[in-house]
């Protein structure tokens, strides 16, 4: 029983020591909070670092303005002199300026760190319990105190810097054009300062550079037009309705702030001619015009061609378009080529298949003798298997034209009187 007393006393002393250490720990976390005042009129219970953060957000130029500390009777917090290390600490750099009222996100600990959250809860509870004043004042300062505590102990997330879009690659032709333009500018400066004897030679050099620039720029413009054409074709086949909408002018909306009569009067005065019914006379200062010596004969402006020729050109044009779609380098265009509307009796897809089969068969057979000439005397044509896409397109069109010519010859031979079966057959009857 005698030993129980000292042991109990010792346990009480240890409990008191633990409470004292906990109180001192909480005092360290909240002792540096004071009523800070800025030169812009801002006042808040926070630390010296919080004041610097405010000044960085406001982008104050003169952050060295003397700051005074005031005591507020409605808010009682533990006051302690700022340590020498904090007073000599360099101010925090200015935070990126954002919209008014915007604050950077705090790096709060994860949800699994329960011990750390318990410590944060205890610290914030002690800080908030020391606030004095009405409920409205406490609510106004609660959010700011929690944010400043989190920003000071855990830091904030810095905003991400937007990546710049990569600049388009510069080709060798474009680099050459840039160098030639710089050389031409230098020659112009030299020409202004050069004597008359040297100007002729500089003119020759300028003419050579201009000739090179003309050829290079022509090639570059052709490349740009071709690329623009490919992009336009791709957009058309990808979404034709959306592409067609871009071709028309956007609808304009507004309110007419003038009367209809005033608008009509303005249009009449601007675009009408009150003397349009008067007969115009030739001015006296214009010399008389002699009549022409030879009268020119003008036609009716209509191209007169037989129907068979028009049909052949129509089929060749449709065949060429079908080959362009089938052999396009764009997979979207090649796989989703539209069906060309040509009627029921003839389709370009079937004509392309027949012409391609005939050309492949000609590659297998090889060169043959035509007429009385021997082998090899006739002109050779390119092989289908080794021809490039433009050459294949041309070969298919020529084959379709040849098939149409053969069909016309066969029809003429099949008639009774060598193609004149209409009138001659009637005479014979």
């Amino acid at each position: 029983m005698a030993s129980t007393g000292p042991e109990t006393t010792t346990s009480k002393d240890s409990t008191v020591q633990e409470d004292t250490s906990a109180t001192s720990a909480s005092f360290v976390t909240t002792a540096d909070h004071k009523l800070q005042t800025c030169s812009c009129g801002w006042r808040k219970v926070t630390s010296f670092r919080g004041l610097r953060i405010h000044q960085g957000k406001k982008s104050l130029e003169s952050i060295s303005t003397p700051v005074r500390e005031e005591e507020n009777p409605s808010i009682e917090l533990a006051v302690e002199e700022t340590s020498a290390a904090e007073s000599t600490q360099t101010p925090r750099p200015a935070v990126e300026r954002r919209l008014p009222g915007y604050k950077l996100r705090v790096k709060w600990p994860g949800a699994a760190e329960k011990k750390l959250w318990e410590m944060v809860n205890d610290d914030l509870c002690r800080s908030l319990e020391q606030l004095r004043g009405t409920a409205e004042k406490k609510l106004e300062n609660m959010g700011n105190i929690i944010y400043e505590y989190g920003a000071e102990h855990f830091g904030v997330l810095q905003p991400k810097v937007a990546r710049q879009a990569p600049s388009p690659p510069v080709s060798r032709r474009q680099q050459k054009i840039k160098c030639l333009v710089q050389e031409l500018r230098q020659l112009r400066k030299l020409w202004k300062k050069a004597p008359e004897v040297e100007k002729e030679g500089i003119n020759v050099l300028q003419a050579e550079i201009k000739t090179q620039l003309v050829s290079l720029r022509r090639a570059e413009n052709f490349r740009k037009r071709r690329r623009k054409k490919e992009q336009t074709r791709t957009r058309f086949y990808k979404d034709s309705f959306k592409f067609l909408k871009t071709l028309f002018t956007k609808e304009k909306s507004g309110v007419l702030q003038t009367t209809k009569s005033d608008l009509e009067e303005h249009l009449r005065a601007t675009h009408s001619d009150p003397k349009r019914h008067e007969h115009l006379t030739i001015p006296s200062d214009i010399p008389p015009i002699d009549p022409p010596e030879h009268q020119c004969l003008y036609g009716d402006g209509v191209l007169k061609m037989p129907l068979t020729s028009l049909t052949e050109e129509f089929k060749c044009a449709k065949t060429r378009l079908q080959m362009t779609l089938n052999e396009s380098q764009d997979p979207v265009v090649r796989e989703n080529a539209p069906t060309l509307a040509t009627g029921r009796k003839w389709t370009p897809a079937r004509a392309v298949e027949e012409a391609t089969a005939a050309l492949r068969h000609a590659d297998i057979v090889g060169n043959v003798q035509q007429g009385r000439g021997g082998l090899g005397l006739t002109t050779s044509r390119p092989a289908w298997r080794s021809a490039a896409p433009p050459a294949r397109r041309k070969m298919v069109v020529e084959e379709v034209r040849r098939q149409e010519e053969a069909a016309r010859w066969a029809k003429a031979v099949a008639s009774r009187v060598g193609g004149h079966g209409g009138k001659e057959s009637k005479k014979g009857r």
Side-chain angles (χ1 to χ4, degrees):
M1 295 296 293
S3 61
T4 306
E7 290 179 359
T8 306
T9 306
T10 307
S11 61
K12 290 183 179 181
D13 294 341
S14 60
T15 306
V16 172
Q17 290 177 0
E18 291 178 358
D19 295 341
T20 307
S21 61
T23 306
S24 62
S26 62
F27 181 77
V28 171
T29 57
T30 59
D32 56 347
H33 286 71
K34 307 172 185 177
L35 182 60
Q36 306 288 350
T37 305
C38 183
S39 59
C40 65
W42 177 85
R43 300 176 63 185
K44 183 179 178 181
V45 177
T46 181
S47 61
F48 181 76
R49 185 178 181 183
L51 174 64
R52 292 302 188 188
I53 292 175
H54 161 73
Q55 292 177 344
K57 290 181 179 180
K58 293 297 182 180
S59 301
L60 297 178
E61 297 181 356
S62 56
I63 61 175
S64 60
T65 306
V67 181
R68 57 189 180 86
E69 301 176 358
E70 298 180 359
E71 295 292 339
N72 194 340
S74 63
I75 302 176
E76 296 180 4
L77 291 173
V79 180
E80 183 177 338
E81 294 295 331
T82 307
S83 60
E86 185 177 0
S87 61
T88 57
Q89 185 179 4
T90 57
R92 185 177 179 180
V95 186
E96 182 181 357
R97 189 171 185 179
R98 294 277 179 156
L99 296 176
Y102 177 83
K103 293 183 179 181
L104 298 177
R105 294 179 58 184
V106 179
K107 297 180 182 179
W108 293 108
E113 301 178 3
K114 295 183 179 180
K115 295 183 178 180
L116 187 57
W117 275 108
E118 290 178 359
M119 185 186 69
V120 172
N121 187 26
D122 295 341
D123 294 344
L124 290 176
C125 287
R126 292 190 188 96
S127 300
L128 296 175
E129 285 176 358
Q130 297 178 3
L131 293 177
R132 298 292 182 271
T134 61
E136 296 179 356
K137 293 291 184 180
K138 290 182 179 180
L139 291 175
E140 289 179 0
N141 297 326
M142 183 184 299
N144 296 331
I145 292 176
I146 294 175
Y147 179 81
E148 295 296 340
Y149 176 85
E152 183 176 357
H153 288 78
F154 304 105
V156 293
L157 294 174
Q158 297 298 331
K160 296 182 179 180
V161 180
R163 296 190 306 174
Q164 297 181 355
S167 58
V170 182
S171 61
R172 289 180 294 178
R173 186 189 295 118
Q174 294 175 346
Q175 295 177 0
K176 183 66 175 177
I177 291 174
K178 185 177 180 180
C179 294
L180 291 177
V181 170
Q182 293 178 357
E183 292 179 5
L184 188 61
R185 291 176 180 174
Q186 293 178 359
L187 289 176
R188 288 175 181 173
K189 294 179 181 179
L190 293 176
W191 185 86
K192 293 179 180 179
K193 299 178 181 180
E196 295 295 334
V197 181
E198 298 178 359
K199 286 186 177 181
E200 184 176 357
I202 296 176
N203 291 334
V204 174
L205 295 176
Q206 288 181 347
E208 293 179 357
I209 293 177
K210 288 180 180 180
T211 304
Q212 296 180 12
L213 282 175
V214 168
S215 60
L216 291 175
R217 284 173 174 170
R218 185 182 295 113
E220 185 67 20
N221 292 335
F222 177 75
R223 183 192 66 82
K224 291 180 179 179
R225 288 196 302 269
R226 182 178 59 188
R227 180 174 177 82
K228 184 178 180 181
K229 187 177 180 180
E230 293 176 356
Q231 293 176 352
T232 304
R233 186 187 297 113
T234 303
R235 288 191 292 111
F236 173 74
Y237 287 116
K238 187 176 181 180
D239 192 348
S240 58
F241 294 99
K242 184 178 180 180
F243 175 78
L244 291 175
K245 286 183 179 180
T246 60
L247 300 180
F248 301 101
T249 307
K250 295 182 179 180
E251 298 181 359
K252 297 181 180 180
S253 61
V255 179
L256 186 62
Q257 298 180 356
T258 183
T259 60
K260 185 178 179 181
S261 58
D262 294 342
L263 179 61
E264 292 179 352
E265 183 64 26
H266 172 72
L267 294 176
R268 188 181 300 105
T270 304
H271 301 285
S272 63
D273 184 12
K275 299 181 180 180
R276 62 182 180 274
H277 300 294
E278 297 181 2
H279 181 69
L280 299 177
T281 58
I282 300 176
S284 59
D285 55 347
I286 297 179
I289 302 175
D290 299 332
E293 298 179 0
H294 304 283
Q295 296 292 336
C296 297
L297 301 178
Y298 298 96
D300 53 1
V302 180
L303 180 61
K304 297 180 179 180
M305 295 180 65
L307 183 61
T308 55
S309 300
L310 293 176
T311 305
E312 180 181 342
E313 293 299 329
F314 172 79
K315 291 182 178 180
C316 291
K318 291 294 182 179
T319 303
R320 188 181 297 106
L321 179 58
Q322 186 69 35
M323 285 293 297
T324 303
L325 296 175
N326 293 344
E327 297 186 355
S328 175
Q329 297 181 358
D330 191 352
V332 177
V333 178
R334 186 171 58 253
E335 296 174 2
N336 303 310
T339 303
L340 302 180
T342 55
R344 295 176 297 152
K345 297 183 179 179
W346 181 87
T347 56
R350 183 58 181 268
V352 169
E353 292 180 1
E354 294 178 356
T356 304
L359 292 171
R360 290 176 178 172
H361 181 265
D363 284 353
I364 297 173
V365 174
N367 294 330
V368 296
Q369 181 179 353
Q370 296 181 0
R372 296 183 179 180
L375 290 174
L377 295 180
T378 58
T379 57
S380 61
R381 56 183 180 180
W384 172 262
R385 59 179 177 274
S386 61
R392 287 189 175 187
R393 186 160 53 247
K394 185 177 180 181
M395 291 170 63
V396 169
V397 173
E398 291 178 354
E399 182 64 23
V400 171
R401 197 183 297 276
R402 188 191 65 79
Q403 291 179 1
E404 289 294 320
E405 184 69 19
R408 284 200 299 270
W409 276 100
K411 187 175 181 180
V413 172
S415 61
R416 292 193 229 177
V417 189
H420 303 285
K423 297 180 180 180
E424 296 293 336
S425 62
K426 290 181 180 179
K427 289 181 181 180
R429 292 179 185 176

